Structure formats: C-alpha cells, structure tokens
Amino acid sequence: MSLFDQLAGAAGPEAPTCSRKGCRAPAEWQLLWNNPRLHTPERRKAWLACAAHRDWLQDYLVQRGLWKETLPLEPTAGTAAANPKES
C-alpha cells in the first residue's frame, strides 16, 4: 500500500504481519514491551511475530531490558486495521 492509499483511507492489510524487517509472514505472536526511560510502567507497546522470528524478536527485546511478555495473537475485529510495526 502506498502513502497515497493510506492518506485516502484505503484499507490496510487483511491480516497482521510479522514486525521483523522484510518479513511479510502472517503474525502468530505479540511481543509486549516498553522502554522504562520513555514509557510509564503500565504502558505496553506491541511487536507482532511469525513463528520463525518470535525468538529473534524476543531476544532482541530481552537483551535491551524492554521485553515484558509474549502472548499468542488472537484475531479481533480491530487487528486488521492496526499495524503495530509503527507503534
């Protein structure tokens, strides 16, 4: 989808995709994290992960002290419209 499509309100991807750079696989997991230097303790940001990149993304967050928890991605009505990669 181009920037012009986004500005015009065109629908986003039908299914959430993995947050790993260059990966377009369907997301199966959500990795919840926050940066304690920037966010309040209760705030959670989310990255989405496919099965192949779950461990890599989680390790990346753990090494930086940002990871909070990893949960299965449960499809909801709002997930198709939101893209957590930009969170």
Side-chain angles (χ1 to χ4, degrees):
M1 174 184 308
S2 74
L3 176 60
F4 297 114
D5 291 337
Q6 291 175 348
L7 293 174
E14 289 186 21
T17 58
C18 181
S19 295
R20 178 77 162 108
K21 185 176 181 180
C23 183
R24 306 290 358 123
E28 299 174 27
W29 299 93
Q30 55 182 333
L31 291 85
L32 304 179
W33 63 279
N34 82 354
N35 184 337
R37 291 188 279 171
L38 302 175
H39 308 124
T40 59
E42 65 278 352
R43 172 129 187 230
R44 293 293 180 267
K45 297 188 67 118
W47 280 354
L48 299 181
C50 64
H53 292 120
R54 175 190 167 192
D55 291 339
W56 189 95
L57 290 166
Q58 184 172 315
D59 186 53
Y60 179 92
L61 293 169
V62 167
Q63 287 183 17
R64 288 156 180 78
L66 306 175
W67 179 81
K68 297 302 177 191
E69 65 181 317
T70 299
L71 302 170
L73 180 63
E74 297 178 11
T76 63
T79 53
N83 188 353
K85 286 184 184 185
E86 299 175 15
S87 294

